[in-house]
Amino acid sequence: MKEKDDGGWSPYLAGSLSGLVSIGSVWFAGKYFGASTTFVRSVGMVEKAVDPERAARMPYFMKELPVVDWQWMFVVGIFIGSLIASTTSGSFRWQAVPDMWEKRFGPVQWKRWLTAFVGGTIGMFGARLADGCPSGHGLSGSMQLAASGFVALVCFFIGGMIVARLLYGGGERK
Amino acid sequence: MTTLMYGLVTGILFGFLLQKGRVLRYDRQLGALRLIDMTIVKFMLSAVLVGMVGVYLLSDLGLAKLSIKPMIFGGVVPGGLIFGIGWGLLGYCPGTSLGAVGEGRWDAVWGIVGMLCGAALYAEAYPTMKATALTWGDFGKVTLPQILGISHWFIIPLFIIGGLALFRWFEKKGL
């Protein structure tokens, strides 16, 4: 099942180093990892550009102002960091349909794209209701031993495992 | 401005490590949800175990403050389950979707567009949610040590031992 991929690091090593990076971030910038609020700020910027009066009256954009902040730059940084790591190791691959998806559902692109779009919409609605995603709750929350972090993480996996089972069935275990 | 630079640099480091750990891919995320490839769990748990020690050390030394999200059952439980459903369909998380595009997996772009729509929908729903779901079962900003009434330095070693045992089991099972 696992692909052979040269140049990758052990997930234990990369994960532990990420833990150190998050400690550094808390120490020097006082910031915990998170990602989903950035999507609120970004869409707030779009809505502000289209209809500034309406956007200014919306309570959620008053709570999460449509501005570029630490986390916004952090999320942009994830893109850049991944681009650097993948292009320097030869593991960058232009791919429109993931391997596992193609094996199960075939190479038709629009099916994958529509599913990704719908999944993104549902997922972000849930993440905002939960007040965090696998970064904010999963990493930052649980490393601070926050009750909300652990409960959210369990719920993330329950929801995800149900969908994965519906999509791929229970079989094909090694 | 300095804060923004810190954000960018931290993000670059994290994105680099996410890519090196090969955890950005759809196949890896779904692999975990299908319980056939635990790479992302190994990555996340390693980061959490290391982070736990450092963050509580900094907090005890007065060098940093904890930032706990409130445990509101009406928000965290349904929100978490809904997120999970979306995650299973998309196969990327909000943070990793940007990283996935960075390594060329551009089906994630559709996920990002979807997530922006989801954020817009939630912004519309927020006043209703605030008056309903977000008032149900609010236990405030609580941590496990507070609930159990014991020092975090009792709990952290237990987490580390449990985590290492889990890792050993993963490796034994070839997950």
Side-chain angles (χ1 to χ4, degrees), chain B residues 16-70:
Chain B
F16 186 89
L17 292 167
L18 284 167
Q19 206 280 333
K20 282 294 182 198
R22 301 289 190 264
V23 291
L24 294 168
R25 293 166 193 182
Y26 174 92
D27 291 18
R28 283 290 155 76
Q29 309 232 345
L30 263 292
L33 294 177
R34 295 172 64 194
L35 305 177
I36 53 178
D37 178 350
M38 289 294 134
T39 309
I40 68 164
V41 178
K42 294 174 191 172
F43 182 98
M44 277 188 82
L45 194 54
S46 300
V48 166
L49 294 177
V50 170
M52 211 174 256
V53 176
V55 164
Y56 269 97
L57 212 56
L58 290 175
S59 151
D60 284 357
L61 294 171
L63 295 170
K65 271 195 207 136
L66 296 183
S67 165
I68 309 288
K69 291 173 191 278

Side-chain angles (χ1 to χ4, degrees), chain A residues 2 5 9 12 32 54 63 74 82 91 93 95-96 112 123-124 131 144-145 147-148 161 168 174, chain B residues 7 19-20 22 25-26 56 65 67 69 90 99 103-107 115 124 142 144 171 174-175:
Chain A
K2 280 183 197 169
D5 197 329
W9 296 356
Y12 299 119
Y32 288 88
R54 184 169 186 277
K63 183 171 176 277
F74 172 74
S82 166
S91 57
R93 194 162 133 220
Q95 195 181 38
R112 168 61 194 146
M124 184 53 66
D131 195 24
Q144 296 180 78
L145 304 172
S148 53
M161 277 158 55
Y168 289 94
K174 287 188 301 183
Chain B
Q19 206 280 333
K20 282 294 182 198
R22 301 289 190 264
R25 293 166 193 182
Y26 174 92
Y56 269 97
K65 271 195 207 136
S67 165
K69 291 173 191 278
L90 172 55
E103 60 168 2
R105 320 293 160 136
W106 64 282
D107 54 326
M115 286 192 276
E124 301 298 326
V142 288
L144 211 52
E171 296 308 321
L175 290 165

Side-chain angles (χ1 to χ4, degrees), chain A:
Chain A
M1 196 63 227
K2 280 183 197 169
E3 55 188 316
K4 279 269 173 269
D5 197 329
D6 51 325
W9 296 356
S10 146
Y12 299 119
L13 173 68
S16 302
L17 290 173
S18 298
L20 290 178
V21 172
S22 78
I23 295 170
S25 174
V26 170
W27 194 348
F28 297 114
K31 298 288 183 189
Y32 288 88
F33 288 9
S36 58
T37 316
T38 293
F39 288 81
V40 177
R41 297 194 200 282
S42 302
V43 86
M45 289 175 210
V46 175
E47 292 192 22
K48 204 173 138 188
V50 175
D51 189 345
E53 279 177 36
R54 184 169 186 277
R57 273 188 276 112
M58 288 186 52
Y60 205 49
F61 296 137
M62 290 182 211
K63 183 171 176 277
E64 313 290 0
L65 293 175
V67 292
V68 171
D69 67 342
W70 178 90
Q71 193 197 86
W72 207 93
M73 297 301 287
F74 172 74
V75 172
V76 171
I78 293 176
F79 168 78
I80 299 171
S82 166
L83 187 65
I84 295 170
S86 60
T87 47
T88 52
S89 65
S91 57
F92 182 94
R93 194 162 133 220
W94 207 242
Q95 195 181 38
V97 179
D99 297 336
M100 188 190 280
W101 176 280
E102 188 170 335
K103 225 169 114 191
R104 173 81 173 83
F105 298 104
V108 186
Q109 294 186 342
W110 71 264
K111 281 190 202 166
R112 168 61 194 146
W113 294 348
L114 183 66
T115 308
F117 174 80
V118 172
T121 308
I122 296 172
M124 184 53 66
F125 189 92
R128 290 329 303 160
L129 179 57
D131 195 24
C133 59
S135 308
H137 271 313
L139 289 179
S140 303
S142 54
M143 77 172 57
Q144 296 180 78
L145 304 172
S148 53
F150 295 120
V151 174
L153 202 49
V154 169
C155 293
F156 294 164
F157 271 90
I158 292 174
M161 277 158 55
I162 292 170
V163 171
R165 197 174 171 90
L166 290 175
L167 287 179
Y168 289 94
E172 214 201 315
R173 299 187 68 146
K174 287 188 301 183

Side-chain angles (χ1 to χ4, degrees), chain B:
Chain B
M1 198 59 215
T2 324
T3 307
L4 295 184
M5 278 313 291
Y6 269 124
L8 187 65
V9 172
T10 311
I12 291 173
L13 290 171
F14 188 45
F16 186 89
L17 292 167
L18 284 167
Q19 206 280 333
K20 282 294 182 198
R22 301 289 190 264
V23 291
L24 294 168
R25 293 166 193 182
Y26 174 92
D27 291 18
R28 283 290 155 76
Q29 309 232 345
L30 263 292
L33 294 177
R34 295 172 64 194
L35 305 177
I36 53 178
D37 178 350
M38 289 294 134
T39 309
I40 68 164
V41 178
K42 294 174 191 172
F43 182 98
M44 277 188 82
L45 194 54
S46 300
V48 166
L49 294 177
V50 170
M52 211 174 256
V53 176
V55 164
Y56 269 97
L57 212 56
L58 290 175
S59 151
D60 284 357
L61 294 171
L63 295 170
K65 271 195 207 136
L66 296 183
S67 165
I68 309 288
K69 291 173 191 278
M71 180 58 236
I72 306 171
F73 274 90
V76 174
V77 173
L81 292 171
I82 295 170
F83 173 81
I85 292 167
W87 182 28
L89 293 169
L90 172 55
Y92 304 107
C93 331
T96 58
S97 62
L98 271 290
V101 177
E103 60 168 2
R105 320 293 160 136
W106 64 282
D107 54 326
V109 171
W110 294 97
I112 292 168
V113 175
M115 286 192 276
L116 290 169
C117 294
L121 283 176
Y122 188 75
E124 301 298 326
Y126 177 67
T128 314
M129 293 298 176
K130 200 182 169 199
T132 55
L134 295 178
T135 62
W136 302 336
D138 186 350
F139 288 81
K141 302 178 175 182
V142 288
T143 65
L144 211 52
Q146 287 168 349
I147 293 172
L148 299 174
I150 51 176
S151 159
H152 43 266
W153 293 115
F154 280 113
I155 295 179
I156 291 171
L158 289 179
F159 264 97
I160 293 172
I161 293 166
L164 293 177
L166 191 65
F167 291 159
R168 230 188 107 171
W169 186 74
F170 285 161
E171 296 308 321
K172 224 166 155 182
K173 291 271 171 187
L175 290 165

